[in-house]
Amino acid sequence: MRNENTHPSDQELLMRADGELPRGAVAAVDAHLTACWNCRARMAEVEAKIAEFVRVRREGLDPTLPPSAGSRAMLAAQMAELSKAAPRRMRWKTASFFADWRFTAACAVAVVLLAVALAGLKRENQVAVASAYGAELPDRRLTPGATRQVAIGEICAVNHEDVVSLVPDTVRHEVFQEYGIRNAPADKYEVDYLIAPGLGGAEDIRNLWPEPRFDATWSSFVKDQLEEYLHESVCGGKLSLQTAQNDEARDWIAAYQKYFHTREPLAGDSKASAQRAAWILEPWASVLKL
């Protein structure tokens, strides 16, 4: 029996979407999807990939294939003529040939579809590895975010910047491997928590990704501004903890733009300008349409 805290793998989600998951495992996976919004998001991505593959196959492959209706009708007529003219002993061979022809054609189509699918997966993998360098947002398939059970009083008992959770070197190496980054300069990335520990983020690889420190508009320093603002908003009763966690996990850049009412990161250090601007502009956000 599946533990409710164990998330289904990508392969299990793919098999569930394709109807190939064993009957005994379907109920457990469906129950987990009902309770886990992160896995529901992963499931939606799997189904979107399948739909995209079907669309590409229809738009790219089907037009290149000759129409089958005319060829089938002609072949059926020719086989009927041969069947009338052939001796009885030959009729079995004719039927066998017709069945073999259909089997061979089906195999040929399957081989073509498999080649198209493998080429698409290869291109997708190349794009994923290339986009990992300088990725300001994590790959949701690798880093959906993870939280731990924590009380508001525990979170607000210390300042956000005082909650330091160092990532072990072995885990850092594993994160870089997942994202296809090799020989990364030590100062280029911060293996950062998607949901900050000061907001109940778990020390889990599903909550970690290589965030650019420099050479990026939305760097780890900008994310620190958002985390400090969310921490003070939760402890000040302006936001629920779950809302803050969801905002960070879903799209931390969009959350920054929403709370700080700006399209670009604000200049300066974390509290000095970002929070001040957020608190001052908030009452005027609807008027200014920021």
Side-chain angles (χ1 to χ4, degrees):
M1 180 179 296
R2 168 181 291 278
N3 189 306
E4 64 179 2
N5 294 323
T6 302
H7 299 272
S9 65
D10 289 344
Q11 182 179 3
E12 289 176 313
L13 294 181
L14 179 60
M15 292 175 67
R16 179 67 184 91
D18 205 32
E20 297 180 357
L21 197 66
R23 183 177 300 178
V26 170
V29 171
D30 287 351
H32 183 87
L33 290 175
T34 301
C36 179
W37 67 269
N38 282 329
C39 290
R40 288 201 301 274
R42 291 170 57 211
M43 187 65 177
E45 292 172 357
V46 169
E47 292 174 340
K49 291 294 182 182
I50 294 175
E52 179 65 12
F53 170 74
V54 173
R55 183 189 65 78
V56 171
R57 183 191 69 81
R58 288 177 177 174
E59 295 179 357
L61 181 61
D62 288 355
T64 66
L65 298 176
S68 59
S71 300
R72 288 181 178 176
M74 183 178 296
L75 179 61
Q78 291 176 348
M79 297 305 297
E81 292 295 327
L82 289 173
S83 178
K84 293 178 182 178
R88 181 168 297 181
R89 288 184 305 173
M90 293 297 294
R91 292 182 182 178
W92 180 86
K93 293 183 178 180
T94 301
S96 177
F97 167 79
F98 184 71
D100 290 345
W101 176 85
R102 289 192 299 179
F103 177 77
T104 303
C107 289
V109 172
V111 169
V112 172
L113 292 178
L114 180 61
V116 172
L118 291 176
L121 289 174
K122 182 178 180 181
R123 288 195 299 270
E124 181 180 345
N125 183 63
Q126 291 172 342
V127 171
V129 172
S131 63
Y133 292 88
E136 297 172 336
L137 288 173
D139 186 332
R140 291 290 300 275
R141 295 168 298 180
L142 301 176
T143 313
T147 58
R148 68 186 192 278
Q149 291 293 333
V150 63
I152 296 292
E154 179 183 346
I155 286 178
C156 300
V158 294
N159 294 327
H160 168 76
E161 57 269 20
D162 293 335
V163 182
V164 178
S165 297
L166 298 178
V167 180
D169 290 340
T170 55
V171 178
R172 286 171 50 85
H173 180 69
E174 188 175 353
V175 170
F176 282 128
Q177 279 192 326
E178 274 196 341
Y179 276 81
I181 299 177
R182 295 174 177 80
N183 301 322
D187 62 343
K188 184 173 183 179
Y189 298 99
E190 175 184 346
V191 176
D192 198 8
Y193 292 90
L194 179 58
I195 302 175
L199 291 169
E203 297 180 6
D204 188 312
I205 193 170
R206 294 171 302 165
N207 195 36
L208 295 167
W209 99 100
E211 185 181 16
R213 293 173 61 86
F214 308 103
D215 302 325
T217 301
W218 300 94
S219 66
S220 61
F221 302 106
V222 179
K223 188 170 184 294
D224 289 342
Q225 298 176 2
L226 173 65
E227 291 171 356
E228 292 174 2
Y229 174 82
L230 292 177
H231 183 268
E232 292 201 1
S233 296
V234 168
C235 294
K238 297 186 61 178
L239 281 179
S240 69
L241 178 59
Q242 184 176 4
T243 298
Q245 292 174 343
N246 290 346
D247 283 344
E248 273 206 298
R250 187 179 297 112
D251 187 331
W252 74 266
I253 295 177
Y256 184 102
Q257 294 171 331
K258 177 178 71 172
Y259 290 118
F260 293 153
H261 313 297
T262 177
R263 295 185 181 276
E264 298 295 331
L266 298 174
D269 294 332
S270 54
K271 289 185 179 179
S273 58
Q275 283 191 340
R276 185 180 302 115
W279 292 100
I280 293 175
L281 290 175
E282 184 172 7
W284 304 94
S286 59
V287 177
L288 299 175
K289 297 182 180 180
L290 292 176

